[in-house]
Amino acid sequence: MATIRVRDWTKEQIEEIRDAESHSSHDSVIKSLLKDRKLAKYADDAAETVPASTTESQTNGPDTPFDDLTVLGELSGADNGVLFLWCPSCGNELAHLTADNPLGLSVFEIECQRCLTHLDRHAIVAIEIGYPIEQKLVDDCLQDDLKDCVVDYWDRTLDSAAVGALADDLDPEYLAWQFDQYLREFSWAWPADVPVVGFASGETYRNTATDEYLEVIEPVSENRNAMDSFKIRRYATEPATGDGETEILDSTTVVDHIVNRRLLLDSRTDSTSVSESTEPTT
């Protein structure tokens, strides 16, 4: 194989880039630089025909936690029209797309070939060219970023539903059910400081509006495309210090609690407590 001779100064610059960006070899650095040059040329060509406002990311507002990392559902345009789509459940890259701005992917759906999860715009994470994918993979924190991005999107989307600011094509009740289904499939431990988006047997939730605790025993309905009703035990104080009353919480009330962001997961309660405290059958 032919050898390319470079001056010492050039070699030093390549080695600095290799170390700073955690490349595996000099060859990897050069390939990355060639890719950057190609993307820069594409950006220059696109800028001549596309207004400047659409060549930059149109995804993240000031309240989102990441730049260049966005759930597809709120993506209106991508930097240079280049997107990498990722599965938040297993951290697999789903597709690499080039698209015109503004984007028209509001009904995009795909199945992850690794974990076989069927994903739509409310779970697929779009990564733009400005996000340091390679470095995140080296640091082993890409999966955490994908999860945090989706959790933030679900939380803000339901916040919008609570104040009536949801887009016309989105139904709050369906979203609550859909986010609940995703949460079960992803098997994520939900952050204790973020109002929950799901309702599951074996969990205990604190209603921040009343300071009551809801211990979920079991579902009492089996809806395929809507939230179930649940048998619960309601406590006026912490479950460990008070007696609970058993009742049925209908699906409409469950959705109302979730959409209005009232429920926090009680992290002090072990998920096995429900099975242990369920009344014995006779």
Side-chain angles (χ1 to χ4, degrees):
M1 182 178 292
T3 300
I4 300 175
R5 294 174 60 94
V6 296
R7 295 182 180 274
D8 289 342
W9 181 88
T10 305
K11 184 179 179 181
E12 290 173 0
Q13 299 303 305
I14 292 175
E15 289 178 344
E16 285 185 10
I17 296 173
R18 181 196 62 189
D19 295 340
E21 299 181 3
S22 300
H23 289 277
S24 59
S25 65
H26 293 160
D27 185 65
S28 175
V29 174
I30 294 171
K31 286 180 179 179
S32 176
L33 293 173
L34 290 173
K35 179 181 177 182
D36 290 344
R37 181 179 182 276
K38 184 177 179 181
L39 290 174
K41 183 179 183 301
Y42 175 84
D44 290 340
D45 293 341
E48 296 178 2
T49 57
V50 181
S53 61
T54 61
T55 61
E56 298 179 356
S57 171
Q58 300 176 28
T59 60
N60 294 319
D63 296 330
T64 56
F66 300 101
D67 292 325
D68 304 312
L69 189 71
T70 314
V71 173
L72 194 58
E74 61 181 356
L75 193 69
S76 59
D79 190 6
N80 300 316
V82 179
L83 284 177
F84 304 88
L85 304 184
W86 286 71
C87 171
S89 178
C90 68
N92 179 48
E93 183 178 356
L94 303 169
H96 174 198
L97 302 178
T98 55
D100 295 330
N101 286 326
L103 293 175
L105 300 176
S106 61
V107 293
F108 190 89
E109 296 182 358
I110 193 170
E111 183 178 76
C112 177
Q113 295 304 303
R114 178 189 291 173
C115 66
L116 303 181
T117 304
H118 185 80
L119 304 164
D120 70 356
R121 57 173 165 159
H122 300 299
I124 298 170
V125 179
I127 299 180
E128 298 175 81
I129 59 175
Y131 180 82
I133 295 178
E134 184 173 297
Q135 184 63 48
K136 293 290 186 175
L137 287 170
V138 170
D139 295 340
D140 195 28
C141 59
L142 175 60
Q143 186 72 47
D144 290 337
D145 282 1
L146 294 174
K147 175 184 174 181
D148 290 346
C149 180
V150 173
V151 167
D152 172 74
Y153 168 76
W154 288 348
D155 183 40
R156 288 186 294 103
T157 299
L158 290 175
D159 277 344
S160 296
V163 298
L166 205 60
D168 293 338
D169 63 331
L170 299 178
D171 175 53
E173 293 187 8
Y174 181 77
L175 283 179
W177 171 81
Q178 187 176 38
F179 295 167
D180 178 72
Q181 297 302 302
Y182 275 136
L183 188 61
R184 294 168 189 265
E185 192 160 7
F186 295 169
S187 299
W188 283 348
W190 192 256
D193 60 340
V194 179
V196 298
V197 299
F199 203 77
S201 300
E203 300 288 5
T204 298
Y205 304 96
R206 181 173 69 87
N207 186 333
T208 57
T210 63
D211 277 335
E212 295 177 316
Y213 288 80
L214 309 179
E215 184 182 35
V216 187
I217 301 172
E218 60 186 1
V220 294
S221 61
E222 295 182 359
N223 298 318
R224 295 187 60 184
N225 296 301
M227 193 72 72
D228 290 326
S229 298
F230 286 85
K231 181 180 181 181
I232 69 164
R233 187 173 289 109
R234 185 188 300 272
Y235 295 88
T237 59
E238 294 181 16
T241 61
D243 295 327
E245 296 183 1
T246 302
E247 62 183 82
I248 301 300
L249 199 66
D250 64 83
S251 59
T252 301
T253 304
V254 173
V255 170
D256 183 62
H257 284 330
I258 291 173
V259 171
N260 286 286
R261 322 305 292 127
R262 298 184 188 127
L263 302 181
L264 289 174
L265 189 64
D266 182 18
S267 58
R268 296 166 299 180
T269 304
D270 192 291
S271 59
T272 61
S273 62
V274 172
S275 60
E276 294 171 354
S277 60
T278 303
E279 297 93 337
T281 56
T282 57

